[in-house]
Amino acid sequence: MDTEKNKVLGGTLYLVATPIGNLSDMTERALKVLSQVDFVAAEDTRNTGVLLSRFGISKPLVSYFEHNKRQRGEIIVNRLLQGESCALVTDAGMPAISDPGEDLVALCAQKGVPVTAIPGCCAAVTALVLSALPTGRFVFEGFLTTSKSDRYRRLEELATERRTMIFYEAPHKLRRTLSDMEHFFGGQRRITLCRELTKLNEETIHTTLGGAVEKYEKKDPKGEYVLVLEGAPSCAEEVAYPADPAKHVQMYIDMGMRNMDAIKAAAKERGIPKAELYKALIDAKEE
């Protein structure tokens, strides 16, 4: 290892990845940088203070988060221009991913301040490799907006996205997000839900959007989630559905969907109300 290349340099911003759950994932290089920089900019100084103390590190902390990023970013960059070194950390994972750190990096680029990254954990990539979905091409969407109209517009745009999609979601918003996704992507689309990654209660759930909606109608979501969603099929991959409504529904049941989810998926594909398809099935049985 070239120690000269690994020395902390004044006037440089270091993007330092921190564990997303398991503290054993903190890298040796991250600890070295955190112990040598002049100060640490943190999303939550209380959480970062606890983390640093676990490793015996004591550094001046500056808060840097969404609501103070404009003013505090200028202050941090001015200190860097004066020759100080700074480590930027988020509460968990890689700074600048769904994080105001991206604005600080952009400001440093404008001002000619060197920026380097200390790689480590990233919840999005961790969930992707656990998803059992295609990993060759993917798109990271982060958190969907809370604005209903903007969220619907974005999901409508993504309905034809063929790459695997990655989303972050908080537990109290999970049910609404899954319901919205089912509406725009259909209940048969495969999804993997990863929660509490690297922690004691880590869980990976492979299911369909319809199955996920049903699961969380009965179970309260707990912990932070990463959702990995199957991309839309290409025209060549699309399978023509059976003309017989009963066979159409049975096709989805054979794929592992519950009866009502299968009826909902078939109705959506046929472009008719679920109640209409259900009635047709009942009528066919009576005949």
Side-chain angles (χ1 to χ4, degrees):
M1 179 183 293
D2 189 334
T3 55
E4 287 301 313
K5 289 183 180 179
N6 287 280
K7 287 177 67 176
V8 169
L9 302 175
T12 300
L13 176 68
Y14 292 84
L15 308 177
V16 181
T18 54
I20 57 177
N22 193 319
L23 290 182
S24 298
D25 292 331
M26 179 68 93
T27 68
E28 181 180 347
R29 186 178 174 211
L31 292 174
K32 177 181 177 182
V33 169
L34 288 168
S35 65
Q36 292 185 0
V37 291
D38 293 305
F39 67 102
V40 176
E43 179 183 4
D44 188 318
T45 55
R46 294 165 300 180
N47 291 342
T48 298
V50 171
L51 177 68
L52 294 181
S53 68
R54 291 290 295 270
F55 294 100
I57 298 172
S58 177
K59 285 289 168 180
L61 296 172
V62 173
S63 70
Y64 176 82
F65 56 94
E66 183 63 32
H67 299 297
N68 74 357
K69 65 183 182 182
R70 185 167 299 178
Q71 177 189 25
R72 197 57 55 83
E74 292 285 353
I75 294 172
I76 291 170
V77 168
N78 284 336
R79 292 180 66 174
L80 291 167
L81 288 170
Q82 292 170 19
E84 292 187 78
S85 57
C86 172
L88 176 67
V89 299
T90 185
D91 279 350
M94 193 72 203
I97 300 294
S98 279
D99 175 80
E102 66 176 304
D103 295 87
L104 185 56
V105 173
L107 186 58
C108 285
Q110 292 173 13
K111 302 288 186 178
V113 174
V115 180
T116 190
I118 313 301
C121 294
C122 176
V125 174
T126 303
L128 176 66
V129 298
L130 291 173
S131 70
L133 293 171
T135 60
R137 299 176 68 233
F138 61 91
V139 55
F140 176 68
E141 287 293 322
F143 290 96
L144 289 169
T145 177
T146 56
S147 165
K148 187 174 181 179
S149 59
D150 290 343
R151 187 170 70 253
Y152 281 8
R153 189 178 303 111
R154 188 68 188 129
L155 290 173
E156 187 174 13
E157 291 171 356
L158 291 171
T160 56
E161 172 59 64
R162 290 169 56 185
R163 292 171 292 181
T164 300
M165 293 167 274
I166 306 172
F167 301 84
Y168 288 161
E169 195 51 278
H172 64 283
K173 297 178 183 175
L174 182 69
R175 286 189 176 116
R176 182 188 66 183
T177 294
L178 290 174
S179 178
D180 289 345
M181 286 181 170
E182 183 187 30
H183 175 76
F184 284 97
F185 304 137
Q188 70 275 21
R189 187 78 70 91
R190 290 185 297 166
I191 187 172
T192 296
L193 300 92
C194 298
R195 58 177 291 270
E196 299 293 88
L197 285 168
T198 78
K199 299 177 183 176
L200 183 63
N201 296 317
E202 177 180 310
E203 183 179 22
T204 300
I205 303 162
H206 304 289
T207 184
T208 61
L209 276 172
V213 168
E214 182 173 354
K215 177 182 179 68
Y216 286 103
E217 283 175 352
K218 303 170 183 176
K219 179 180 178 180
D220 289 333
K222 293 181 180 178
E224 299 298 318
Y225 286 80
V226 184
L227 311 178
V228 187
L229 183 65
E230 179 182 30
S234 65
C235 294
E237 294 170 333
E238 290 176 352
V239 179
Y241 59 76
D244 186 325
K247 289 182 179 179
H248 193 177
V249 172
Q250 188 61 46
M251 179 181 76
Y252 287 118
I253 291 174
D254 292 342
M255 291 169 59
M257 295 178 69
R258 296 178 182 272
N259 284 2
M260 291 311 297
D261 289 327
I263 292 172
K264 188 185 296 184
K268 182 177 181 64
E269 199 163 25
R270 299 172 86 90
I272 61 175
K274 181 178 67 175
E276 182 179 328
L277 179 56
Y278 185 75
K279 184 178 183 302
L281 295 174
I282 296 298
D283 291 344
K285 274 189 177 182
E286 291 177 351
E287 290 175 5

